[in-house]
Amino acid sequence: MTKAISRRHAFVAGFALSALIAASPALAQKKNGPGVTDTEIKIGNIMPYSGPASAYGVIGKTEQAYVDMLNAAGGVNGRKIKFISYDDAYSPPKAVEHARKLVESDEVSFIFNPLGTPSNTAILKYMNARKVPHLFLATGATVFGQASVNPWTMGWQPNYQSEGRIYAKYVADKYPNAKIGILYQNDDFGKDMVKGFKDGLGAKTSLIVAEAPYEISDPTIDSQIVKLKAAGVDLLYNSTTPKFAAQSIKKLAEIGWKPVHVLGSVSASVGSVIKPAGFDNSQGIISASYAKDPDDPQWKDDAGYKKWLAFMDKWAPAADKNNSLNVYAYNAMQTLEAVLRQAGDDLTRENILKQAQSLKDVKLDMLLPGIALNTSATDYYPIEQMQLIRFEGQRWVTFGEIIKGEIGGK
Amino acid sequence: MELFIQQVVAGLATGSIYACMALALVMIYQAIEHLNFAQGEMAMFSTFIAWQLMQWGVPYWGAFVLTIGIAFAGGVFIERVVLAPLHNAPILSHVVTFIALYVIINSFAGFIWDFTVKPFPTPFGTSPLLGSNLIGAHQAGTIAVTLAMLLFLFVFFRYTRIGLAMRAAAANPTSAKLVGIRVGWMTALGWGMAAAIGSVAGMLIAPIVFLEPNMMLSILVYAFAGAVLGGLTSPGGAVLGGLIVGVVENLAGTFIPVIGGELKLTIALVIIVAVLVWKPSGLFGRSIVVRV
Amino acid sequence: MTEPMRPTPSPQAPAAPPRAASQMNWQVGLAVLVAAAILPFFLKNFVVFQITMVMIYAIAIIGLNLLTGFNGQFSLGHAAFYAIGAYTAAILMDKFDVSYVWTLPLAGLVSFVFGYLFGLPALRLEGIYLALATFGLSVAAPQLLKLSPFEHWTGGVQGIVLMKPDAPFGLPLNSDRWLYFFTLAVGALMTWMALNLVNSRTGRAMMAIRDNPIAARALGVDAPRYKALTFGVSAMYTGVAGALGAIVIAFVAPDSFTLLLSVSLLVGLVVGGVGWIPGAIFGALFVSFVPNIAESLSKGLSGAFYGAILLVVIYLAPSGVAGLFRAAMIRLKTKKAQGRTA
């Protein structure tokens, strides 16, 4: 009798065990790809800590702080993260050198959130030829989400053309007879935003009466503003980076010109743009956002916001909480964490990429409610939704519904 | 026509920035016959010091005056400590030293105060001048201050002993030493004054372009163009040159079709080269005669 | 009102202009070449890539040295010539399917023409004024490259992405090693040409113009012709370096060719030593690796550390490595002489 029972027990135990193993293949065996050991995973990053784009270097610093936080809690899946970040000073040849160093000398598992369109364009072919995941690029250039062409490269933030289309939809709806003027930065960022806007307007591009580009090397954009005003513009589509956005808002106030002002999300930061330009001068500006604004009191009791605040207080106390780049860094790192957790113990490069392609409705602490990350083997744009916002009083107020940009998914 | 006038006025406003910086550049050229590429960074750093003082509660004019003093001392310090030991080195080593200074100062500014833009207050207010909508009160104030500095420098160099001693030391150091002028300290004084003027330029420029460590680089090119146009030996010419450069940039950007807006730096380059080729001493500079 | 003034200083010649023998002993040169030839087989591919870039910058610095070091014409604008060479190569490879090998002489030719054309108005400029003019050139170059009428050729702000070439004839070398040898060959050839140039009559004319333009002219040296030609040759060297750079990095964009590059070349020139051709390799090593060292010391203050290291080098060796070398040579000769008389 006992023999029968024990054999049955053994059979059941064996069956249960194999079922367990079959159900969670990740636990079956640890698979460490390049740059991964049982206790450590090496992740590479390239940021402009010096040079003309050094304002964005703060993203890298906050990302390091997040890594410190993860490591203090034991890392992810028992592995501590070694975050290796190099300064390319926004120079493509330097970016190439650093990418090669990370892959060939430091032997990282993958490169995460490298910043800047020129730098990423320079390393794109290399990363894909080497089959190293090139994930969650810190640039909204639409070209970086083409899954069929560059399968190892994935964007992260809403791409610029999507955003342009979102504004175009709104403008065509609410201001069908506007005289539109475009102020844009004469580089890939500005031009991408303008292309999306024009594509979105479709037949209504005839509403555009004037365009004024400027170079990053221009000290002021006063001349462009004067030109646009003289052309009779009453709706300004402003595709500028923070410093020039602040200048344009100030200049508009100085010459007493009050067009409908649509501002790209890159420059919607209260700390970096609105405050220097002046709250009074910024009333009524329309923009879009996908992340929570740290200066918005409506999130005071929000669980996600409180987590971010706690992180900033403990791990990046010297960082400026008004700087939306610190929210960006947090969101990007949470995405990374989600991918790593999803990958479990199978940390080969192929699987990491696969997990990045399998983000389903992933919510982050500092994303606006209703916005989530979604990717697939053909959809390499994790965030495609944005919310329109208008500046009232001392903060951005959301209005309308969450809109999905039309590019992406292809 | 109205657009033309508006662009001219806007050009004068932007040109006031260039004029101010050009004055500082010419000032240092007069003192040491080198062009200091770190001048812009020194001006930027001084402006940050002013900003920091105001953050600590010092009122605007107090910070303004204090900053000028600190900048002056800084300029003297840099000359005595960093540059004097290289006195006999080839000129290229001096240039590389300026480059090193540029990089060091820029890096420290970014490290201490980070790279986000900061607003900087203006004593002239932000409303348009006399309600005219043409030129802001601040820009008009900038031009006024620049002219005032110009007047001060003119009087200093022409009518004071020290001014004369500085000119002598720059023009002919050997003879100057023979008549008892302490050439080393005259050079240091020149640096101090140039740094002080630079700090004023920085404090006038920051309200318009917003304070951040990289704010001076783009201005420097146009300031050089203005200084060259007016003449490196003529402070008044430098101011006028800066204003002219501002106006030309704006007009070209507005009225040259298609690529006007993309050509601003090229125009600065063309101005520099054209002036140097046809009238090297600039519009108002003295022609330099070299005795063989 | 005219005032007697000091003549505007041109870059001074070092105390004792180096003679042919001390430019580079051919035995030393050969030894270096042999060592360089076997090096890549002991190094990681990434390091081979880095050293290839060092050689490329060295070629560019030789170009700058010819103009500034040997001919006394100050240039802060060599990034523009580097860019011209790079874009010429890129456009030829991308739009016209020209093999990368042929892009080099073509890039050199185009750069030479541009250099010569810029050298013509530059004839009237001295010292600080020439510095300003070339400074303006450097700053304007990226903007010119972005101009929309040219976008079809230059790729505008996006630049041009290139294919990295593989070793020909099925040689058992990977791409990095092949490009290393290719660059080494081109570099050795151009160094040899430069050495011959400076030791020739033309070279002496160039140096005479630098040291004493009036005396040179009095002796019948056609200063304008030599100065413009030197500008052209200098631009050619830097242009070829640019073309090589485009091939090795496999990407060109306006952001790659800013004032920072001009400044780096100048720093490399001074650190290596004005008027000494082999100095270029030391200068290139400095500007390639010291920024990385500075970054490893402190990410936030990497610029400050770089500047500090640069200052230290300038203080210790105001005439660069060339100065140290010369001092060593003099001491060696003195010892030899003492040995003989003793």
Side-chain angles (χ1 to χ4, degrees), chain A residues 81-145:
Chain A
I81 298 178
K82 186 153 180 219
F83 188 68
I84 307 176
S85 178
Y86 289 133
D87 176 12
D88 72 337
Y90 211 68
S91 156
K94 263 280 180 244
V96 170
E97 187 189 330
H98 287 318
R100 293 199 61 168
K101 187 164 179 206
L102 287 167
V103 172
E104 296 173 43
S105 181
D106 296 310
E107 289 172 351
V108 298
S109 173
F110 58 94
I111 295 190
F112 161 76
N113 206 231
L115 191 139
T117 306
S119 299
N120 277 305
T121 311
I123 65 177
L124 191 58
K125 242 196 208 164
Y126 173 77
M127 296 297 285
N128 279 277
R130 282 277 180 155
K131 299 202 170 49
V132 177
H134 184 198
L135 295 179
F136 308 137
L137 274 50
T139 156
T142 318
V143 69
F144 293 121

Side-chain angles (χ1 to χ4, degrees), chain B residues 79-172:
Chain B
E79 200 283 332
R80 290 279 87 189
V81 172
V82 175
L83 290 162
L86 286 176
H87 194 53
N88 291 319
I91 205 188
L92 274 178
S93 305
H94 282 220
V95 174
V96 170
T97 310
F98 295 149
I99 293 171
L101 275 175
Y102 181 109
V103 172
I104 293 176
I105 297 176
N106 186 290
S107 180
F108 267 113
F111 182 74
I112 302 174
W113 289 293
D114 83 54
F115 289 94
T116 45
V117 295
K118 296 170 173 42
F120 194 87
T122 164
F124 302 113
T126 48
S127 47
L129 182 67
L130 311 170
S132 73
N133 266 349
L134 277 182
I135 188 168
H138 176 79
Q139 279 87 334
T142 304
I143 297 181
V145 171
T146 309
L147 290 174
M149 281 199 297
L150 196 55
L151 188 63
F152 165 76
L153 285 177
F154 177 75
V155 167
F156 176 81
F157 276 115
R158 195 167 266 257
Y159 295 114
T160 67
R161 291 209 73 188
I162 288 199
L164 186 60
M166 272 178 69
R167 281 163 61 202
N172 201 330

Side-chain angles (χ1 to χ4, degrees), chain A residues 87 94 97-98 101, chain B residues 100 103, chain C residues 50 54 57 264 267-268 271 281-298 301-313:
Chain A
D87 176 12
K94 263 280 180 244
E97 187 189 330
H98 287 318
K101 187 164 179 206
Chain B
V103 172
Chain C
Q50 279 185 312
V54 169
Y57 286 131
S264 295
V267 169
V271 167
I281 201 81
F282 294 100
L285 282 168
F286 184 90
V287 295
S288 298
F289 291 116
V290 171
N292 292 345
I293 296 175
E295 195 193 334
S296 62
L297 288 173
S298 155
L301 281 175
S302 63
F305 276 106
Y306 177 77
I309 296 175
L310 187 55
L311 280 178
V312 166
V313 168

Side-chain angles (χ1 to χ4, degrees), chain A residues 49-50 61 84-94 96-98 100-102 104-107 117-119 121-122 125 130 143 186-189 191 215-218, chain C residues 44-47 49-50 53 57 139 143 146 148 151 156-158 161-164 176 248-251 253-257 260 287-289 291-292 295 299-300 302-303:
Chain A
Y49 292 104
S50 65
K61 292 197 195 135
I84 307 176
S85 178
Y86 289 133
D87 176 12
D88 72 337
Y90 211 68
S91 156
K94 263 280 180 244
V96 170
E97 187 189 330
H98 287 318
R100 293 199 61 168
K101 187 164 179 206
L102 287 167
E104 296 173 43
S105 181
D106 296 310
E107 289 172 351
T117 306
S119 299
T121 311
K125 242 196 208 164
R130 282 277 180 155
V143 69
N186 193 18
D187 67 359
D188 49 276
F189 152 68
K191 289 188 180 174
E215 305 284 327
I216 304 187
S217 57
D218 288 348
Chain C
K44 266 193 181 148
N45 280 341
F46 163 67
V47 183
F49 163 77
Q50 279 185 312
M53 287 309 297
Y57 286 131
V139 173
Q143 203 180 54
K146 281 197 252 187
S148 27
E151 241 174 48
V157 123
Q158 311 271 23
V161 180
L162 300 166
M163 294 289 311
K164 215 163 157 180
D176 287 315
V248 172
I249 302 265
F251 177 66
D255 287 305
S256 309
F257 308 116
L260 186 64
V287 295
S288 298
F289 291 116
N292 292 345
E295 195 193 334
K299 207 161 278 157
S302 63

Side-chain angles (χ1 to χ4, degrees), chain A residues 63 66 69-70 112 136 156 304 307-308 327-341 359 362-367 373:
Chain A
E63 286 174 347
Y66 195 95
M69 177 177 83
L70 285 179
F112 161 76
F136 308 137
W156 184 74
K307 263 181 78 187
W308 175 79
V327 173
Y328 182 96
Y330 184 86
N331 277 334
M333 284 305 290
Q334 273 207 314
T335 312
L336 175 67
E337 191 188 341
V339 168
L340 287 178
R341 288 199 194 281
L359 295 171
V362 174
K363 298 217 183 333
L364 305 176
D365 286 337
M366 288 300 277
L367 285 182
L373 299 162

Side-chain angles (χ1 to χ4, degrees), chain A residues 160-183:
Chain A
Y160 300 133
Q161 285 187 28
S162 278
E163 190 179 337
R165 281 173 179 257
I166 289 177
Y167 296 129
K169 237 194 285 199
Y170 173 75
V171 165
D173 242 357
K174 292 278 182 302
Y175 301 98
N177 297 317
K179 295 218 204 66
I180 304 177
I182 304 182
L183 173 69

Side-chain angles (χ1 to χ4, degrees), chain B residues 29 32-35 37 81-83 85-86 88-97 99-101 103-104 107-108 110-111 158 167 169-173 217 220-222 224 228 232-233 258-259 261-267 269 272-273 276-281 286-292, chain C residues 1-12 68-69 74 76 118 121-122 124-125 127-141 143-144 146-149 151 214 259 263 266-267 269-271 274 298 300-308 310-311 314-315 317-320:
Chain B
Y29 183 76
I32 61 166
E33 303 225 332
H34 290 165
L35 271 179
F37 293 103
V81 172
V82 175
L83 290 162
L86 286 176
N88 291 319
I91 205 188
L92 274 178
S93 305
H94 282 220
V95 174
V96 170
T97 310
I99 293 171
L101 275 175
V103 172
I104 293 176
S107 180
F108 267 113
F111 182 74
R158 195 167 266 257
R167 281 163 61 202
N172 201 330
L217 181 57
L220 211 56
V221 183
Y222 300 107
F224 274 133
V228 162
L232 282 176
T233 49
V258 182
I259 52 175
E262 302 173 27
L263 275 180
K264 292 201 166 166
L265 280 173
T266 315
I267 291 172
L269 164 71
I272 293 178
V273 173
L276 289 179
V277 168
W278 274 299
K279 199 167 192 301
S281 51
R286 294 181 291 276
S287 334
I288 295 165
V289 172
V290 174
R291 290 241 175 86
V292 179
Chain C
M1 184 169 79
T2 58
E3 287 176 347
M5 282 180 68
R6 288 178 286 149
T8 29
S10 48
Q12 293 164 12
T68 302
F74 204 118
L76 265 174
F118 193 82
R124 307 191 55 177
L125 302 174
I128 215 68
Y129 297 102
L130 184 57
L132 275 177
T134 49
F135 174 79
L137 178 66
S138 217
V139 173
Q143 203 180 54
L144 282 167
K146 281 197 252 187
L147 277 184
S148 27
E151 241 174 48
I214 297 163
L259 181 66
V263 168
L266 188 69
V267 169
L269 173 65
V270 174
V271 167
V274 153
S298 155
L301 281 175
S302 63
F305 276 106
Y306 177 77
L310 187 55
L311 280 178
I314 293 293
Y315 282 153
S319 300

